[in-house]
């Protein structure tokens, strides 16, 4: 009888507690942590209005060498084997973060797989990064109380100058972390072939230049970084980073040209030598402070100062007589100072999150220039300010993000000052159709400042009667972008269909114009009236066996683009963008094949192809070692083509082939080691970040 009474009392207690939970419709912090843990283990992908959240099972964590391997498995990210960096298959700029702080490729490598909680993939970046990137990838990690990581990665071609190398080390003790990184990318190609044609009418005569050049070119890019981080959970984060970029490049070329004026034909000889170098020290300071339980304040300050030296000597002469056609001797010494400051604040409401901030960036360049126009000294200054605020929330099956920004662009050159304020709104609406299907709509408006080369006053001789120069009077271009995105995912498919439309006002457009100063024609920039692009982009991955044994990634994007030039001419181009990746992972082996069919896209008054891909590479992992081999550009050199449009004053075409990397065979190895002691603190970090995966 006592046993029966105890059973009844126990059952009643459980029922009462259950009823209380239902009435309250709330859960305490302990239960929240338990539910989040279940979600992290059973839900590999969860789709939100502006991002996808990925988690990884035990098998994936054990197979990966470092966090970068986990990111490679995302449907819309792929490894560029040539640069050994990750990027979005959709193109554009990809920004990587670790726990909300901007991170380098090397930092991602230094994160052991076991410390990865989840990955937030923003195909619609938050307002804070919306003007800087097209895709944002945020790696959420645990932390280690005591531990260290170090590793190295080297790959090189056997028959040409191609080296990618890197090394990193990190040590964590308590709340402090110290990191050191070094990387080098070296290219030394002595067999690049360039065929160019300039065909035009000038002063009632027909001119044609047919050039065949061969050059030896290369560059060495090195990066050295020292980083200190201190994280006090639920209180503050601080990071100071000293970064050094070291760059040198050279070109030594010669060739022959057939110059035709009406019925007169001359054989010309050409020579072109050039070099460029800079050393860029950068100090990056970041501080983030939790104010209570609902507010966070972040400050980021970045500063740099460096000098760029650029030299170019090009000449052309009549082969038979030695008479000069042109001499182009250009020397540029540019002293550049850059500053970026940002203040960001977030507040959590019951209905959602409010994010606000202000960023200012300023670049000042002092130029000492010797070129065709003689010697000049002038300064330019590019200032941009960005105020933003946005609110994100959820209502039943709807998720939304509403933002508003104000952007000021103030560019000052020796000839002109441009100052403009632009209102930059953004709207994101999402609706969950089913557990694995969603529909999203986005609309945004933002300006883009002309880049320094487009604004430059520099003049360079390209061919007889042809020069190239910038336009200091350019204005910013402004883009209205709309997207309707359908997403679907299950064990086998991860698929996105994006119907897009972009309208750009005052498009920055490159074209040939008559040149009254030097005679002939100048390739320069203008603000066209407008341009637009529309189409549908299909992206995703397919796993026939529901595992990484076979993965097919693809991007197919039928698109149409038009430009309305300043004189009213309409330029149109249709193309089907594409990219394909086939990969297989079996035990310790990983095989990947990448292929694309290059297409012509509009680039000012030209149609240009994207870089061709036909790469295969294989890797084998043994404990902390990974050995790799591959062949890039199988059966073909890397190739880049450009041709002018019928509307152009100069009929121009160029075909550039780097013969050195045709069927380039590469060998490499990497060593990655990590050792650390996990603490209860990591679990708290894990629990505190998990709510973002379910909101």
């Amino acid at each position: 009888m006592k046993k029966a009474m105890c059973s009844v009392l126990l059952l009643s207690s459980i029922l009462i507690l259950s009823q209380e939970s239902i009435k309250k419709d709330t859960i305490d912090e302990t239960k929240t942590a338990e539910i989040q843990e279940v979600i992290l283990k059973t839900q590999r992908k969860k789709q939100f209005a502006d991002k996808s959240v990925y988690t990884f099972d035990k098998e994936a964590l054990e197979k990966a060498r470092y966090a970068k391997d986990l990111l490679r498995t995302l449907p819309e990210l792929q490894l560029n084997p040539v640069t050994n960096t990750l990027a979005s298959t959709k193109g554009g700029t990809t920004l990587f973060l670790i726990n909300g702080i901007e991170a380098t490729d090397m930092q991602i490598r230094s994160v052991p797989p076991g410390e990865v909680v989840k990955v937030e993939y923003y195909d619609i970046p938050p307002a804070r990064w919306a003007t800087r990137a097209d895709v944002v990838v945020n790696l959420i990690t645990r932390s280690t109380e005591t531990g260290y990581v170090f590793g190295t990665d080297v790959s090189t071609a056997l028959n040409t100058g191609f080296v990618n190398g890197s090394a990193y080390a990190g040590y964590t003790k308590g709340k402090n972390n110290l990191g050191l990184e070094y990387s080098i990318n070296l290219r030394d190609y002595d067999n690049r072939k360039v065929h160019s044609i300039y065909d035009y009418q000038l002063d009632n005569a027909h001119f044609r230049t047919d050039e065949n050049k061969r050059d030896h070119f290369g560059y060495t890019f090195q990066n050295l970084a020292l980083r200190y981080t201190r994280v006090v959970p639920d209180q503050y984060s601080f990071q100071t980073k000293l970064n050094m970029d070291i760059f040198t490049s050279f070109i030594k070329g010669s060739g022959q040209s057939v110059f035709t004026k009406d019925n007169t034909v001359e054989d010309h000889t050409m020579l072109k030598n050039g070099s460029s170098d800079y050393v860029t020290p950068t100090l990056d300071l970041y501080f983030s402070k939790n104010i209570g339980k609902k507010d966070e304040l972040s400050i980021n300050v970045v500063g740099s100062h460096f000098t760029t030296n650029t030299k170019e000597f090009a000449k052309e002469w009549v082969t038979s007589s030695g008479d000069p056609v042109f001499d182009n001797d250009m020397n540029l010494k540019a002293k550049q100072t850059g500053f970026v400051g940002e203040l960001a604040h977030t507040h959590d409401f019951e209905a959602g999150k409010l994010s606000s901030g202000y960023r200012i960036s300023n670049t000042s360049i002092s130029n000492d220039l010797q070129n065709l126009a003689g010697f000049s000294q002038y300064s330019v200054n590019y200032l941009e300010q960005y105020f933003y605020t946005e609110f994100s929330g959820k209502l039943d099956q709807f998720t939304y993000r509403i933002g508003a920004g104000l952007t000021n662009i103030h560019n000052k050159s020796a000839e002109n000052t441009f100052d403009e304020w632009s209102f930059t709104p953004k709207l994101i609406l999402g609706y969950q159709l089913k557990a694995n299907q969603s529909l999203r709509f986005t609309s945004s408006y933002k300006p883009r400042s002309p880049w320094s080369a487009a604004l430059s006053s520099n003049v360079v001789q390209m061919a007889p009667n042809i020069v190239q120069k910038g336009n200091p009077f350019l204005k910013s271009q402004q883009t209205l972008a709309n997207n309707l995105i359908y997403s679907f995912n299950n064990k086998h498919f991860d698929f996105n269909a994006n119907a897009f439309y972009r309208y750009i006002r005052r498009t920055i457009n490159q074209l040939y114009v008559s040149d009254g100063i030097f005679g002939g024609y100048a390739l320069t920039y203008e603000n066209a009236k407008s341009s637009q692009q529309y189409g549908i982009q299909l992206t995703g991955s397919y796993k026939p066996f529901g595992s990484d044994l076979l993965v097919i990634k693809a991007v197919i994007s039928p698109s149409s683009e038009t430009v309305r030039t300043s004189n009213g001419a309409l330029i149109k181009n249709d193309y089907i963008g594409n990219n394909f990746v086939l990969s297989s992972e079996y035990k310790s082996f990983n095989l990947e094949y990448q292929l694309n069919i290059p297409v012509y896209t509009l680039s000012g008054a030209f149609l240009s192809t994207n870089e061709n891909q036909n790469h295969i590479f294989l890797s084998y992992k043994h404990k902390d070692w990974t050995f790799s081999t591959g062949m890039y550009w199988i059966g073909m050199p890397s190739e880049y083509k450009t041709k002018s449009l019928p509307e152009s004053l100069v009929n121009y075409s160029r075909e550039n082939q780097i013969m050195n990397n045709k069927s380039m065979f590469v060998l490499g190895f990497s060593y990655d080691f990590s050792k650390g002691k996990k603490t209860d603190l990591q679990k708290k970090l894990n629990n505190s970040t998990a709510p973002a995966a379910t909101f």
Side-chain angles (χ1 to χ4, degrees), residues 162-179:
F162 176 94
V163 177
N164 288 331
S166 61
Y168 66 90
Y171 178 70
T172 301
K173 185 173 179 60
K175 303 176 180 64
N176 305 288
N177 173 266
L178 189 66

Side-chain angles (χ1 to χ4, degrees), residues 101-164:
I101 304 175
E102 191 169 339
T104 63
D105 182 82
M106 294 292 291
Q107 282 180 259
I108 296 171
R109 278 193 57 195
S110 67
V111 177
E115 293 186 10
V116 177
V117 177
K118 62 182 178 180
V119 174
E120 297 175 334
Y121 178 89
Y122 291 89
D123 55 354
I124 307 169
R128 180 175 176 181
W129 298 289
T131 60
R132 299 179 53 206
D134 302 286
V135 170
V136 174
V137 181
N138 187 23
L139 192 69
I140 305 298
T141 69
R142 303 176 178 90
S143 63
T144 305
E145 184 184 61
T146 302
Y148 52 88
V149 296
F150 59 86
T152 185
D153 189 315
V154 177
S155 63
T156 180
L158 301 183
N159 57 347
T160 190
F162 176 94
V163 177
N164 288 331

Side-chain angles (χ1 to χ4, degrees), residues 300-315:
N300 186 212
V301 177
V302 182
S304 66
H305 179 75
F306 63 100
T307 300
T308 301
N309 295 291
T310 304
K311 298 179 180 180
E312 182 178 304
F313 176 71
K315 64 182 298 185

